[in-house]
Amino acid sequence: MYAGPQAALTGESVLALGGLASASSKRVEILVPYTRKLRRKPGLVIHSTQFSETDVNTFQGLRVMTPDFALAEVLCRDGFACLDEALSRYPADDREAVRAAVLTRIAARPDSRGSARARFLVDLATGLAESPPESWTLLLIVDAGWPPPQPQFVVRNLAGRELYRLGLAWPEARVAVEYDGHAAHEDRQEHDALRDEDLRRRGWTIIHLTAADLREPTRFLSDLHAALTRSGLAA
């Protein structure tokens, strides 16, 4: 192995092997002890730190860092969607234990850079996002200074029957944000328009965004500000 017998895969490479769609597989991240010096190669990211063999698993013959170790690493580089997706794989009652394990890993990192941001992301993650873009949307909203919306909020009728499930919502303001992914909304334009119209009649404002809005969020954030201001949630 190029990196030597003490090296192990880490970061998003571990999470991609575990099947997380939000983890990039375009590059390989490896972790080596400080004493191991390697020449960088294209597509290879080398991280150096001290770690214990108890932090290393074997997966398909490869040495890989444990999932909580890998999550702590990516969170210190703003890998919020990875944690949100990882939490979604656990029952709701087990998610606090996962958060605690990741926070312990963050606290134990010799390099404290990014740790404060990582702890903030652990608190923000819910495991309820239905796709990585929904996680990125939540982070975009909170980083813009707005209070966190409720993920997967259920709108019910007077009898208590579920009518709609909204991706991100401020129920007190009756404002919701829906991410329109191509696959999920293809051939559903008419259905979605009727749904939005019914929600508007019920007093809701629905703001849609796409992948283009995540890349350039000015329009989306302006619409959100206007909606939350009209509702009284924002000054």
Side-chain angles (χ1 to χ4, degrees), residues 163-207:
L163 297 175
Y164 306 110
R165 188 177 295 270
L166 303 175
L168 295 166
W170 294 265
E172 68 277 21
R174 296 214 168 190
V175 173
V177 170
E178 291 279 274
Y179 177 79
D180 293 345
H182 176 73
H185 293 269
E186 188 176 13
D187 300 325
R188 288 174 50 94
Q189 290 86 349
E190 183 176 355
H191 173 274
D192 290 346
L194 291 172
R195 174 180 180 267
D196 282 5
E197 181 57 33
D198 187 41
L199 283 163
R200 276 192 287 271
R201 287 195 296 267
R202 297 172 186 274
W204 283 86
T205 298
I206 311 298
I207 302 172

Side-chain angles (χ1 to χ4, degrees), residues 8-9 13-19 56-67 89:
L9 292 175
S13 294
V14 172
L15 305 179
L17 281 175
V56 181
N57 290 337
T58 301
F59 180 81
Q60 296 181 355
L62 298 172
R63 284 168 53 85
V64 299
M65 303 308 295
T66 59
R89 298 188 170 196

Side-chain angles (χ1 to χ4, degrees), residues 103-116:
L103 285 170
T104 298
R105 289 293 187 183
I106 293 168
R109 294 178 76 245
D111 184 352
S112 64
R113 287 175 296 180
S115 294

Side-chain angles (χ1 to χ4, degrees), residues 130-151:
E130 294 186 340
S131 67
E134 282 195 9
S135 299
W136 299 329
T137 300
L138 172 59
L139 188 57
L140 171 64
I141 290 168
V142 173
D143 278 346
W146 302 114
Q150 292 187 33

Side-chain angles (χ1 to χ4, degrees), residues 120-136:
F120 164 74
L121 297 179
V122 171
D123 289 339
L124 183 62
T126 63
L128 298 176
E130 294 186 340
S131 67
E134 282 195 9
S135 299
W136 299 329

